[in-house]
Amino acid sequence: QQQVKQSPQSLIVQKGGISIINCAYENTAFDYFPWYQQFPGKGPALLIAIRPDVSEKKEGRFTISFNKSAKQFSLHIMDSQPGDSATYFCAALIAGGGNKLTFGTGTQLKVEL
Amino acid sequence: DGGITQSPKYLFRKEGQNVTLSCEQNLNHDAMYWYRQDPGQGLRLIYYSQIVNDFQKGDIAEGYSVSREKKESFPLTVTSAQKNPTAFYLCASSGRQGVDGYTFGSGTRLTVV
């Protein structure tokens, strides 16, 4: 069964700190790894995504680090702000393989003042 | 504006009733998906459709049915066979390859009364 394991389940970070969320996958056929951000009562929104041919991708304060050999990837949020408080999901997909995203179980991030 | 519209936002179902959740997109996306979200379990795939008049079961299809008569529309029926239907339901769409990311609707919260 295709799985994506996500940790931690919840995270509290002080304003200005670094938030780190980790994911691990099993299926080496996955070739697209997005992160989604979800606010309460809303649908998830694509935050940032990476392909396995690069080890890092940065967009503003958000960075994905990818370790192909370890089958792990992580989201780093630099200078975390209270507005970043949300639930974050990692996901993985096999392009052309039915396009089904397999999601992690989510991390509830709270950024405190 | 392009996007996905889910309706209603809140829905209450009595025991033994079938209810239908609406999902409409104007993004000209080929693929559409239904996910169920429960606390601590992430997003689980119910059904997906890559083209009109064709759809496949996801991981938790039992007790649900769908149709895809138009490219823009992918309604989900929660039947009386679904024993635990109370959840947040999310509809999404994507381009054919999926690697351009999923666009999610704002969700429908279904409660059994």
Side-chain angles (χ1 to χ4, degrees):
Chain A
Q1 183 181 1
Q2 298 178 349
Q3 285 188 334
V4 178
K5 296 181 180 179
Q6 184 172 347
S7 63
Q9 187 173 359
S10 62
L11 181 61
I12 300 175
V13 173
Q14 295 299 308
K15 180 183 176 183
I18 302 174
S19 304
I20 302 175
I21 304 171
N22 301 300
C23 285
Y25 63 96
E26 298 173 357
N27 190 340
T28 55
F30 285 138
D31 56 3
Y32 174 71
F33 301 89
W35 284 88
Y36 284 82
Q37 179 188 56
Q38 184 181 29
F39 294 103
K42 303 293 185 183
L46 180 64
L47 189 62
I48 187 173
I50 197 168
R51 295 274 209 153
D53 53 346
V54 297
S55 59
E56 186 175 281
K57 183 174 181 180
K58 183 176 181 180
E59 290 184 2
R61 295 185 295 108
F62 301 91
T63 300
I64 299 178
S65 297
F66 187 82
N67 186 330
K68 189 173 182 178
S69 61
K71 294 187 287 185
Q72 295 176 346
F73 58 110
S74 60
L75 176 69
H76 292 64
I77 305 174
M78 311 300 288
D79 186 27
S80 298
Q81 299 297 313
D84 297 330
S85 298
T87 300
Y88 293 81
F89 293 95
C90 62
L93 174 148
I94 303 171
N99 305 327
K100 296 181 295 177
L101 272 176
T102 298
F103 285 88
T105 51
T107 296
Q108 200 162 8
L109 171 65
K110 183 177 181 181
V111 181
E112 293 184 335
L113 293 169
Chain B
D1 289 336
I4 295 184
T5 301
Q6 286 188 245
S7 62
K9 190 172 180 64
Y10 299 97
L11 185 59
F12 297 91
R13 191 194 94 166
K14 293 183 179 179
E15 296 280 353
Q17 272 187 338
N18 292 353
V19 291
T20 298
L21 283 60
S22 171
C23 178
E24 303 277 335
Q25 56 102 357
N26 61 3
L27 299 165
N28 199 33
H29 281 165
D30 290 303
M32 297 187 74
Y33 315 82
W34 274 105
Y35 283 87
R36 169 178 171 145
Q37 186 173 22
D38 296 282
Q41 295 196 50
L43 283 74
R44 294 182 290 167
L45 183 64
I46 304 172
Y47 268 98
Y48 65 105
S49 167
Q50 293 182 279
I51 57 173
V52 174
N53 292 323
D54 188 45
F55 48 83
Q56 286 79 40
K57 294 181 179 180
D59 301 318
I60 56 166
E62 185 175 351
Y64 301 97
S65 66
V66 293
S67 63
R68 186 86 186 279
E69 297 177 1
K70 299 186 300 181
K71 186 176 184 178
E72 301 80 17
S73 179
F74 192 40
L76 173 74
T77 297
V78 184
T79 75
S80 57
Q82 171 50 238
K83 297 307 178 188
N84 184 24
T86 295
F88 190 50
Y89 290 87
L90 288 160
C91 179
S93 69
S94 76
R96 186 161 295 179
Q97 290 300 314
V99 293
D100 52 349
Y102 282 21
T103 299
F104 281 87
S106 294
T108 293
R109 186 164 299 280
L110 173 63
T111 303
V112 174
V113 296

